[in-house]
Amino acid sequence: MSAISSLVNKHRPDQAKFEILYKYFHSHPELSDQESQTASRIVSELKSLSPDFDIREHIGGHGLAALLANGSGPTVLLRADTDALPVLERTNLPYASAVRMKDADGVEKPVMHACGHDFHNTSLLAAAETL
């Protein structure tokens, strides 16, 4: 086994916890510039992971940054998008989105994570836990 595989296996987070989180994000999508609940949930999750995160909220609206200092040396930046698309979900999954929101023009539309940002957020939080 390679050194990197050994390291990942040693520090792998509880995937069941993140499956639940993924299903939450998938079933609660929000359109661009309206991701208040998504941002709030991410902040809540980060706070539950460690008090060492320096969380900066409301960057450009609902954006946030979480800094984790661990001494001198290289800096790593991880990022994820949080918005969903105005698309009707037709997957019939038990956690499928039934959300409807008004877009920037005031037109109500169905909303889903058709682009994978639900998974991006979940993966980033799993990485944060691992770090």
Side-chain angles (χ1 to χ4, degrees):
M1 179 180 302
S2 72
I4 190 73
S5 293
S6 178
L7 186 65
V8 168
N9 287 333
K10 181 178 178 184
H11 298 285
R12 184 180 309 275
D14 174 15
Q15 293 178 349
K17 169 179 140 180
F18 290 103
E19 180 179 356
I20 292 166
L21 189 58
Y22 163 78
K23 289 177 179 178
Y24 170 83
F25 285 133
H26 189 85
S27 62
H28 296 84
E30 295 176 293
L31 292 173
S32 184
D33 295 325
Q34 299 182 49
E35 311 99 313
S36 62
Q37 295 300 317
T38 302
S40 178
R41 180 66 186 258
I42 292 169
V43 168
S44 174
E45 292 294 328
L46 287 167
K47 286 180 178 178
S48 75
L49 291 177
S50 172
D52 296 330
F53 283 110
D54 175 7
I55 301 170
R56 317 261 176 110
E57 300 180 64
H58 311 292
I59 299 171
H62 301 293
L64 62 100
L67 304 147
L68 180 62
N70 67 345
S72 62
T75 299
V76 176
L77 170 69
L78 306 173
R79 70 168 299 277
D81 291 318
T82 58
D83 62 320
L85 297 172
V87 174
L88 177 63
E89 180 160 4
R90 297 179 184 187
T91 64
N92 295 320
L93 292 167
Y95 53 91
S97 171
V99 172
R100 297 185 66 82
M101 295 182 80
K102 289 184 179 179
D103 67 11
D105 297 322
V107 178
E108 186 177 283
K109 296 187 175 175
V111 183
M112 77 169 285
H113 277 293
C115 50
H117 293 170
D118 47 356
F119 190 75
H120 294 176
N121 292 317
T122 305
S123 299
L124 197 60
L125 287 166
E129 180 178 287
T130 303
L131 293 172

